[in-house]
Amino acid sequence: MTSFALRMMQNPAFSQIYEALWRPVFTRGFSLGGSATADYDGALRAYLARPGDRQVLDVACGPGNYSADAAHGLTGAGRYTGIDFSAAMLARAGTDNRADRVSFVRGDAHRLPFPDDSFHTVLCLAALYLIPDPLPVLDEMVRVCAPGGEMIVFTSAQTSVAAMPGARTLAELSGLRLFGVDEIVDRFADLRTEHIEQSITGVGQYVHARKPRSSQHH
């Protein structure tokens, strides 16, 4: 059965209000009403906007929330590519984010339609907890990441607060998966990435990992 959250993402009307209303409220919720997630999000946007000749892939990009930031400092042949399964989200993304270095593609995060070692930065932000069978998506992110490149994930984390009675049931009803605190980090470790860093913000987590320069993942 398709979850309520996934059905909303497919709705053209929801795609129009997502960035302006839903996402700020949702992001604040990850910090339990505080600002930690929003603060980290601002720092991440500034990091993505740094100058450089990079290929950036945004997996499950939605309406292109990070496209302007990620494309802002790109130089040379640098390009931002957003991929999403929702035609409604991609239509909104294409309308709201017209830029020379920005493009959007419809596709499945479990089978990214790109060759190995194609991107310097691979993102999956505020989306992994909505994707059925999500951990193989991390495998694909590592596959398409170039040696020495980075993967950045923002998703849920089952901290002590998230383990409160009723929290898991509510998450399951909404279609939002609560990842174990070590689940994403362990998967990246199994994929032989390195320099894995995790920051917990309330019931959310940011994970950053790099693909080794000289060895293949397995």
Side-chain angles (χ1 to χ4, degrees), residues 20-139:
L21 179 61
W22 171 265
R23 193 172 183 282
V25 173
F26 202 53
T27 301
R28 191 172 182 83
F30 271 105
S31 297
L32 309 177
S35 64
T37 302
D39 292 344
Y40 201 106
D41 184 72
L44 174 60
R45 288 176 183 274
Y47 175 75
L48 293 175
R50 71 196 188 281
D53 185 351
R54 295 184 300 277
Q55 296 296 320
V56 180
L57 177 65
D58 191 352
V59 177
C61 64
N65 299 315
Y66 291 88
S67 62
D69 301 287
H72 178 75
L74 294 179
T75 59
R79 189 165 191 84
Y80 165 97
T81 302
I83 183 169
D84 202 281
F85 190 72
S86 168
M89 285 292 180
L90 290 176
R92 174 55 48 185
T95 299
D96 293 347
N97 304 283
R98 298 181 186 277
D100 291 340
R101 296 179 182 271
V102 172
S103 60
F104 296 98
V105 177
R106 190 177 186 199
D108 185 351
H110 295 94
R111 292 178 292 275
L112 295 173
F114 308 107
D116 296 357
D117 307 335
S118 299
F119 297 91
H120 303 99
T121 298
V122 184
L123 312 168
C124 186
L125 305 173
L128 196 64
Y129 44 67
L130 295 173
I131 299 175
D133 191 22
L135 293 181
V137 174
L138 301 180
D139 303 13

Side-chain angles (χ1 to χ4, degrees), residues 6 20 25 31 48 54 79 82 88 157-158 183 186 200 208 210 217:
L6 211 54
V25 173
S31 297
L48 293 175
R54 295 184 300 277
R79 189 165 191 84
Q158 189 178 345
E183 201 169 354
D186 287 350
I200 302 289
H208 183 277
R210 286 199 174 274
H217 72 282

